[in-house]
Amino acid sequence: MAAHIRRRLRKGATTTAVAAAAVAALAASQAPAAPLAEGATGGDQQAAGGESGGSEDGAATGNSPYYTDLPPLVTPDRPGSSSNLPAATGSAEAGIPASVLAAYKQAERTVGTTDPACRLPWQLLAAIGKVESGQARGGQVDANGTTLSPILGPALNGQGFALIKDTDGGAYDSDAVHDRAVGPMQFIPSTWATWGQDANGDGRKDPNNIYDAALAAGRYLCAGGRNLAVAADLDRAVLSYNQSTEYLRTVRSWFAYYQRGTHEVPDGSGVLPTAPSTPTPSPTPTPSPTPGGTTGPTPSPSPSKPGGTKPSPSPSKPGDGTTSPTPTPTPPRPTPPPKPTPSPAETFGSLENAGTGPLTATAGGTFEERVSVRARNALGAPMAQLPVTFTITGTTGTLFDGGKKKVTVISKADGTATAPALKAGEKTGEFTVTATAGTTRPRTLTYEASVTARQADKIVRVGDKALVAAPGEKFADAVTVKATHKGVTAPGVAVTATMVKDSLGLIDNDKGPYFKDADGKPLRTLDLTTGADGLLQLPEIFADENPGTYKLRLTTEGGGSVVIELTVQAPEETAPEEMETPEA
């Protein structure tokens, strides 16, 4: 199928006839179906929602020419395949030059890291690259991905195209009078000045480098919080690149084609589209006399019907040889000013972890780590002055310093926003902290956190008096212990008291001293808690009928332990004093 070059006219200049012709061409090609989102119909138009990315006339390319070649009838591979196929597989049109394909995939990975919610597919970049430059003229690039010679569109001088006067002093397009679209992705200089990227790490933002241009196109398509997995957002993105429904249909056709499969070919061996034709300026209407001595445009003649010619216009009234007076033109309605679109530096792009470590603290303590995020704009640079809201969800009673469960922090110059310190509640368990930023399509990050039991790494007995009781009696002296953590009093620490046979507490004892439950039944294990001063006085301890030496082991959360001896023995019997014998 012969290739054509579509002229990008000023907004509103494309006629219904042109649109119909483009649709007919698509239908005749039997290209893969690509349904358009509702509202993406009509002629050349501004991007839906006014999202133009800030370029001239709301389009990245300034509505410069593009190739209208359509995919071949035979799809490159089986449906659903999108893998790299051998160079000999599939049609020639399915082949993408190696460096160009690598640039598209690298851009997808980069944007997927900084703006994963956009879900940019590299096949969309490939479709636009095909339509804009025939994949950098079939992959005519050097080892660094720079085109062997600059790719320049025609001067946007208003002669069949938009009128865009020079914005770069000819730095990118070598034209100091009018702008031209530049590079394999055909950015006009004013758009490149905003969206240009250095993706190959050479220190330059070069629109003629396929790596730089592909990443710039990816970020541009994702602007405004778009999710390209949604058909309406994808249509808006493509229309923001060029405000033409014919352009959208052409890109959509190639997008669907590349999604079905493609393969890598050597640089310089890609299929070239037909060279663009030189646009012809629109003819100036020839004035003709009208009644009253004024002039007006001559109406365009309609095609003659077979077998005759079109009759001349009839008078307005039967039998009246005069023509109707020229109607008074209706004054045009004022066009509302376009809604300004934020620049990419002002557009929120992504939210990422700014180095927050594990979030854990003991009950009633303060978390050492603070939740911190970094906001980036649509270009991937740190974004300042962005409100970020942090919210605690859970039942541990944890709050931010100040006693709130939700706080909002404004990001700093480096894009970071750090929440206030977390104060752990008294209940142990898991909870989450969620950071949220953005309004059109909010980004969120969720952090897992936990509150653990209070700890004591040491527990000691207070006092050293021997603990002794007679069989069947209770111990007269109470047992008191003190718990500390890193040398500091440890209040509210869980302590387990167990009667054991050995110092390590590996074997529980089923006889000897015991505690009592509420019903007075023997207990040989108790769970207790230290008081506010870290002290714990154990309940009364009783002795059974078995004399001997026993052990009471106390352990704490945090590794503290102490073993205390308990002795059960009968009181010693005292012999009666010998009576003195009186002297004889």
Side-chain angles (χ1 to χ4, degrees):
M1 168 180 177
H4 296 81
I5 189 70
R6 173 67 56 200
R7 302 177 200 155
R8 307 183 194 205
L9 306 179
R10 295 171 181 263
K11 185 169 62 177
T14 303
T15 64
T16 305
V18 173
V23 174
L26 280 167
S29 73
Q30 300 180 24
L36 302 180
E38 183 177 356
T41 57
D44 290 356
Q45 61 188 40
Q46 188 175 1
E51 295 176 327
S52 65
S55 62
E56 186 75 19
D57 275 349
T61 63
N63 293 331
S64 56
Y66 61 91
Y67 293 104
T68 58
D69 303 61
L70 292 173
L73 299 180
V74 180
T75 55
D77 191 41
R78 60 187 181 278
S81 172
S82 172
S83 60
N84 292 326
L85 305 177
T89 305
S91 71
E93 284 287 1
I96 299 178
S99 294
V100 179
L101 181 59
Y104 296 150
K105 292 186 175 181
Q106 176 178 297
E108 179 191 64
R109 292 192 298 270
T110 301
V111 174
T113 299
T114 59
D115 188 7
C118 176
R119 301 177 69 181
L120 170 73
W122 66 260
Q123 292 92 341
L124 180 59
L125 296 175
I128 291 175
K130 178 69 174 180
V131 168
E132 293 294 346
S133 67
Q135 311 296 18
R137 294 175 178 157
Q140 296 288 338
V141 297
D142 62 19
N144 294 321
T146 303
T147 57
L148 300 181
S149 60
I151 299 177
L152 298 174
L156 299 175
N157 55 14
Q159 300 298 309
F161 310 120
L163 173 60
I164 304 179
K165 295 183 179 180
D166 175 65
T167 61
D168 66 332
Y172 292 118
D173 56 11
S174 302
D175 190 333
V177 179
H178 297 98
D179 272 350
R180 298 168 181 259
V182 182
M185 303 305 281
Q186 289 289 278
F187 280 96
I188 57 173
S190 59
T191 307
W192 184 259
T194 302
W195 292 89
Q197 302 286 306
D198 175 20
N200 66 346
D202 63 357
R204 298 178 58 225
K205 297 178 181 180
D206 184 359
N208 278 298
N209 181 276
I210 185 59
Y211 290 94
D212 294 357
L215 180 57
R219 295 202 187 283
Y220 182 93
L221 293 166
C222 288
R226 298 187 186 106
N227 177 358
L228 300 183
V230 177
D233 276 7
L234 187 143
D235 289 349
R236 292 187 184 97
V238 176
L239 287 171
S240 77
Y241 217 88
N242 184 297
Q243 300 169 356
S244 165
T245 300
E246 291 78 20
Y247 179 86
L248 172 60
R249 293 182 185 277
T250 306
V251 169
R252 276 285 212 157
S253 295
W254 282 106
F255 177 47
Y257 182 72
Y258 287 137
Q259 282 186 311
R260 293 178 67 85
T262 186
H263 58 272
E264 178 185 298
V265 298
D267 288 345
S269 64
V271 175
L272 293 175
T274 303
S277 59
T278 303
T280 303
S282 301
T284 303
T286 304
S288 60
T290 58
T294 61
T295 60
T298 303
S300 301
S302 300
S304 301
K305 296 181 179 179
T309 60
K310 182 179 179 181
S312 58
S314 302
S316 297
K317 298 179 181 179
D320 187 352
T322 61
T323 60
S324 60
T326 303
T328 303
T330 303
R333 295 181 180 178
T335 302
K339 182 179 179 181
T341 301
S343 70
E346 300 170 332
T347 303
F348 175 48
S350 62
L351 199 64
E352 62 187 37
N353 186 359
T356 305
L359 295 169
T360 183
T362 57
T366 299
F367 285 75
E368 294 183 2
E369 285 285 331
R370 294 170 64 182
V371 178
S372 184
V373 299
R374 177 173 284 105
R376 295 188 181 276
N377 61 24
L379 296 177
M383 186 172 189
Q385 299 301 309
L386 181 73
V388 180
T389 299
F390 298 90
T391 305
I392 297 173
T393 303
T395 59
T396 63
T398 301
L399 300 171
F400 290 113
D401 193 10
K404 296 182 178 180
K405 295 188 71 172
K406 179 183 290 187
V407 294
T408 298
V409 179
I410 305 299
S411 63
K412 299 187 295 186
D414 63 353
T416 60
T418 303
L422 288 164
K423 300 289 187 179
E426 291 299 330
K427 185 176 180 181
T428 60
E430 308 291 328
F431 68 97
T432 60
V433 180
T434 302
T436 306
T439 54
T440 304
R441 185 158 53 91
R443 272 53 162 199
T444 62
L445 281 179
T446 299
Y447 297 82
E448 301 292 335
S450 63
V451 177
T452 60
R454 294 173 184 265
Q455 296 183 352
D457 54 18
K458 187 175 183 180
I459 184 170
V460 296
R461 182 188 170 198
V462 177
D464 58 2
K465 185 178 180 179
L467 299 170
V468 180
E473 302 293 333
K474 71 176 180 180
F475 288 79
D477 297 305
V479 177
T480 301
V481 294
K482 182 176 182 178
T484 57
H485 183 65
K486 297 180 180 179
V488 179
T489 297
V493 173
V495 178
T496 300
T498 307
M499 301 295 178
V500 295
K501 289 184 178 180
D502 61 303
S503 297
L504 296 178
L506 300 178
I507 304 174
D508 293 350
N509 210 336
D510 57 358
K511 63 181 180 178
Y514 60 88
F515 304 104
K516 286 184 178 181
D517 64 13
D519 297 327
K521 295 180 180 180
L523 284 178
R524 288 187 169 84
T525 297
L526 278 181
D527 290 325
L528 306 165
T529 304
T530 60
D533 54 2
L535 294 175
L536 169 63
Q537 181 174 309
L538 273 63
E540 292 179 325
I541 303 175
F542 299 86
D544 64 7
E545 300 298 331
N546 300 291
T549 300
Y550 298 91
K551 292 178 173 57
L552 167 63
R553 186 170 188 262
L554 296 100
T555 58
T556 68
E557 290 283 347
S561 68
V562 63
V563 176
I564 300 171
E565 283 193 354
L566 301 172
T567 302
V568 179
Q569 67 179 20
E572 294 183 2
E573 294 185 1
T574 302
E577 295 182 3
E578 294 183 1
M579 299 183 63
E580 293 183 4
T581 304
E583 293 180 1

